[in-house]
Amino acid sequence: MTTASSGASGTSDTSGFPDISISTERLVLRPLEEADVPAYAEMMNDELVTAWTSVPQPYTEDDARAWITRLAPAERAEGRGIVLAVTEFLTQRLVGIVQLRCTDWRVRSSELSYVVAPWARGEGYASEAALATAQWLFHDQKFERIELRTAADNTAAQQVAQKIGCISEGVLRGAWIARTRNGGDPFGGWLDVRTDLIVWSLLPEDIEGVSESLADTGFSAYSDWN
């Protein structure tokens, strides 16, 4: 069950997404704020986030501030996507982010990705936040397709995609650069490693009944991050 509130009208036009806040039983999804800079920078320096994303390393607070105050708002204003902070309802602590990108307004489709902080993994937060975003996008914004892309060895991200009802459509061979520690040394530098991407799709009919299924499992079946 999700509720959404917006500073704009309930449905966006093709020029950009509204300034949105989405609430679930445990989470609040809202625009990133400058106060999030320290927690956001810490999250983006995590080993697993580094391994599976393309964020700069090390990720500084200046990087976080530029993203939060300038780059992410431009994504929304210019209609390319939207970035939402995922916070715990009770503590307001930053759990992670959900991002929509590569939005096609004519096709009414967008690509979804997510990151969860190390301390919050294993609680089903990624599934809950991704599903809430999908419900909002389908019901309020009248979109018809969401796409996810997960690295071939990122099994946790694949489990999240399956958990929210996504259908695997195929493999993009050699389409992503992951990172691994040089020689496996936890204190060594990072090496780029080419990997495949699994493409997943989610349509409005795919999420029917998914909310009830997640509630039955207590939102804690998988370790969620991407």
Side-chain angles (χ1 to χ4, degrees), residues 16 38 41 44 49 52 58 64 70 80 85 91 95 97 100 105 108 143 162-163 168 184 190 197 211 215 221:
M44 301 310 283
V49 175
W52 298 119
R70 181 168 53 87
R80 295 190 296 270
T91 67
V95 167
I97 61 164
L100 296 172
W105 289 93
R108 309 299 285 190
F143 270 55
Q162 293 171 329
K163 194 175 179 183
S168 175
W190 291 95
L197 284 177
S211 296

Side-chain angles (χ1 to χ4, degrees), residues 30-40 65 68-69 92 94:
R30 57 160 175 79
L32 285 160
E33 302 169 352
E34 190 161 4
D36 297 318
V37 164
Y40 187 83
R65 187 170 291 105
I68 288 171
T69 63
Q92 301 182 23
L94 184 68

Side-chain angles (χ1 to χ4, degrees), residues 118-206:
W119 66 268
R121 293 170 189 159
E123 299 296 329
Y125 285 145
S127 302
E128 188 171 343
L131 182 61
T133 304
Q135 289 172 326
W136 168 72
L137 197 64
F138 289 149
H139 297 157
D140 290 10
Q141 302 300 294
K142 309 304 180 186
F143 270 55
E144 297 293 337
R145 174 182 168 89
I146 294 173
E147 186 172 299
L148 287 77
R149 300 185 176 198
T150 63
D153 292 330
N154 190 346
T155 56
Q158 293 161 30
Q159 289 170 336
V160 172
Q162 293 171 329
K163 194 175 179 183
I164 66 172
C166 293
I167 303 300
S168 175
E169 292 187 331
V171 176
L172 300 176
R173 297 184 299 164
W176 187 249
I177 302 294
R179 289 180 282 207
T180 186
R181 283 293 189 184
N182 188 1
D185 180 358
F187 302 103
W190 291 95
L191 292 177
D192 290 344
V193 180
R194 185 167 294 276
T195 187
D196 298 342
L197 284 177
I198 301 174
V199 179
W200 306 80
S201 66
L202 189 68
L203 304 184
E205 58 266 28
D206 296 331

Side-chain angles (χ1 to χ4, degrees), residues 95-118:
V95 167
I97 61 164
V98 171
Q99 181 175 3
L100 296 172
R101 59 185 295 274
C102 300
T103 302
D104 188 321
W105 289 93
R106 181 173 179 272
V107 178
R108 309 299 285 190
S109 70
S110 193
E111 183 180 330
L112 183 147
S113 61
Y114 40 83
V115 173
V116 173

